[in-house]
Amino acid sequence: MNKFKQILAVILAATVVVASAGCGKAIVIKGESADANSYIHYDGGEITGIYVDTQLSVPTDRTEATSSVSQSELTQSTIVTTTEKKPELSTTEAQTTTLQTSTTVATEPSSESIQTTTPSTSATTITTTITTTTTVKPAPLPDNTDLPVNSYQALNHAETKGVWISYFELYPILTGKSKSTFAKGIGEYYDKASALGLNTVYVHVRPFGDAIYKSDYYPWSKYCTGYIGEDPGYDPLEVMIEEAHKRNISFHAWVNPLRCSQESDAPLIDDKYLVKQWYNYNDGDYISKVSSYWYLNPAYDEVTDLIADGVAELVSKYDVDGVHIDDYFYPKKESWFDNKSFSESGYSDLSQFRLDNCTKMVYKMYSAVKSHNNTALFGVSAQGNVHNNLNELYADVEKWSREDGYVDYMAPQIYYGFQNGGQPYAEVVDQWDEMLRGTGKKLIPGLAVYKIGTEDTWAGSGKYEWITEKQIIKRQIEKARTTDNYGGIILYSYQFIFSPESSVEDAVNDEIEAIKPLLS
């Protein structure tokens, strides 16, 4: 989830183009690499190349385009690559960017990062030209004052036993699939979760300034059909909520508020959406490009209003049990990201400016949830390291934890072992518990199933703990339950529990068997 992470594997650029008539850009997956065991490792960037088994054929029918690859097939695969011409735009300004596919930033990875054990040393450089225009001002935000209050009584359990289901875990069962096929696929996910004793799912519904649901504010995600902006003919969010509630599972809509589209997707978004209008008008204010992705700038009320209105739409129109954001806050420390808005702000301290901007955004999101269904919950899954939140991501987690009006719970990604040299699990849990003391808010730690059986490069003296020690997750749950504000746990993530890499499968299964009695 966070932007300041160490990438230990080379990002292999690839494109899968689905042959079909019609407009739009086929879904592509990038940001994954394979180790010596051909296990897929995801670095936290957008999916932009699909691993396709060499025994499979790429479908040509868009009704099943790019989605015939199963979760298990994704772990034994090669890359099919081709090229696609970008549409030409009428512009007044051209910009050329060189993208390095191998990057190193020394911080703990987030919930959308996958641990690798065999780093690669090769690198690929891609040069691409994108175009922007500065001739048209963005239109005003749509008026959502008529969004009704939702009378649905949210389903939330006294103890959260949760699991994250990311968009890259959805695409094998969603992309290009029919409604009935998707319902069957997500139902099987839920059945496995329920059998383990899990009662809550946190599912990606807006990963990249897009929507895996019918939205007035954001375009259809390309993870629905393979083409950004294309209606799949049904509403996947309705399906996911219905199937969850059938099983007494609480459904939380997982949103990335600031992370927008990949640069190659942005030109293909319909001009009716504000995110596209800001792209067209881009001059480094509402939206800024970081590497190959666009990010919204929370300094502007228009931006935080759009984010809040998107939350209001979710809670008003859908029977979600909560809205959930992770730790994608500011993507860069460098001042160029928001230099214009800072210079116009009257602030003298860039750090305080950014902290206040994120706080404003979180306040508006919380208020949007509560004003449209006050039984639904709002929570933040920040990075586990409090210092990094405040000083790297500009997320004022201390304020949000201690003061009213920001969150119902905090779900920090405490992806550390007990022996971690800098952030030992027990001490970090206690730190977060202390910040929440006396507030009535819940502490729901995120736990790193994905590290079981692997070397933890970021752990210092504890780097081998996840290999040599047993039942770490079990002991972490037991420790969390001793805190004063305990509200449950969330496991990262679905695929690491139910489809682990073969080299760690036995270790993962042993850990899962150990926690079953705690979850029953």
Side-chain angles (χ1 to χ4, degrees), residues 152-393:
Y152 166 69
Q153 184 70 31
L155 168 67
N156 283 295
H157 301 278
E159 181 183 10
T160 295
K161 302 169 187 177
V163 61
W164 277 292
I165 301 176
S166 178
Y167 72 95
F168 61 81
E169 292 164 324
L170 285 179
Y171 82 80
I173 61 171
L174 170 62
T175 307
K177 301 296 187 182
S178 67
K179 180 178 180 180
S180 60
T181 301
F182 177 56
K184 181 176 183 293
I186 197 65
E188 290 174 352
Y189 277 21
Y190 293 162
D191 286 341
K192 289 181 179 180
S194 183
L196 181 56
L198 303 175
N199 59 24
T200 305
V201 291
Y202 299 83
V203 186
H204 248 150
V205 301
R206 196 194 320 147
F208 290 98
D210 53 2
I212 303 179
Y213 57 95
K214 186 174 178 57
S215 174
D216 293 330
Y217 299 96
Y218 298 94
W220 280 106
S221 173
K222 68 182 180 183
Y223 303 108
C224 293
T225 66
Y227 295 82
I228 194 164
E230 184 174 275
D231 190 333
Y234 64 96
D235 193 323
L237 181 52
E238 288 183 348
V239 173
M240 291 191 286
I241 294 170
E242 180 181 358
E243 294 299 322
H245 289 166
K246 281 180 184 178
R247 296 162 172 80
N248 199 38
I249 291 175
S250 178
F251 184 95
H252 289 239
W254 173 8
V255 166
N256 288 104
L258 296 178
R259 185 175 66 179
C260 261
S261 60
Q262 189 189 23
E263 62 176 353
S264 59
D265 286 328
L268 304 171
I269 298 172
D270 194 297
D271 285 342
K272 70 180 180 180
Y273 297 106
L274 271 179
V275 290
K276 175 59 179 304
Q277 295 166 24
W278 289 336
Y279 166 84
N280 289 341
Y281 178 63
N282 172 57
D283 57 2
D285 49 9
Y286 296 100
I287 188 170
S288 292
K289 191 168 74 68
V290 178
S291 295
S292 58
Y293 303 96
W294 291 97
Y295 283 83
L296 294 174
N297 180 357
Y300 293 97
D301 285 336
E302 293 93 334
V303 170
T304 52
D305 285 346
L306 171 65
I307 292 166
D309 286 344
V311 169
E313 177 183 56
L314 275 169
V315 178
S316 174
K317 294 183 178 180
Y318 296 93
D319 292 344
V320 297
D321 302 298
V323 174
H324 177 87
I325 66 173
D326 54 34
D327 65 329
Y328 271 99
F329 295 106
Y330 273 88
K332 298 293 287 183
K333 290 193 69 175
E334 288 86 343
S335 61
W336 62 258
F337 176 81
D338 52 356
N339 183 62
K340 181 180 178 181
S341 55
F342 176 62
S343 65
E344 296 172 348
S345 69
Y347 277 77
S348 59
D349 185 327
L350 178 61
S351 293
Q352 191 60 54
F353 172 68
R354 290 179 170 183
L355 287 166
D356 289 349
N357 290 336
C358 285
T359 291
K360 172 183 65 177
M361 178 184 73
V362 169
Y363 174 81
K364 287 183 177 181
M365 296 180 79
Y366 176 87
S367 299
V369 170
K370 296 305 178 181
S371 61
H372 289 85
N373 184 348
N374 63 10
T375 69
L377 302 179
F378 178 74
V380 176
S381 180
Q383 191 177 129
N385 187 318
V386 174
H387 178 273
N388 282 358
N389 281 303
L390 296 172
N391 298 286
E392 301 286 339
L393 305 177

Side-chain angles (χ1 to χ4, degrees), residues 18-20 26-27 50 58-68 171 174-177 224-227:
V18 180
S20 72
I27 187 172
I50 296 179
V58 179
T60 58
D61 181 355
R62 282 176 75 169
T63 61
E64 293 295 323
T66 73
S67 59
S68 61
Y171 82 80
L174 170 62
T175 307
K177 301 296 187 182
C224 293
T225 66
Y227 295 82

Side-chain angles (χ1 to χ4, degrees), residues 469-488:
E469 299 297 316
K470 305 300 180 185
Q471 300 187 359
I472 295 176
I473 301 294
K474 176 178 182 289
R475 289 184 282 123
Q476 288 183 334
I477 295 173
E478 291 171 338
K479 167 58 184 174
R481 284 179 170 176
T482 68
T483 61
D484 292 338
N485 304 283
Y486 176 73

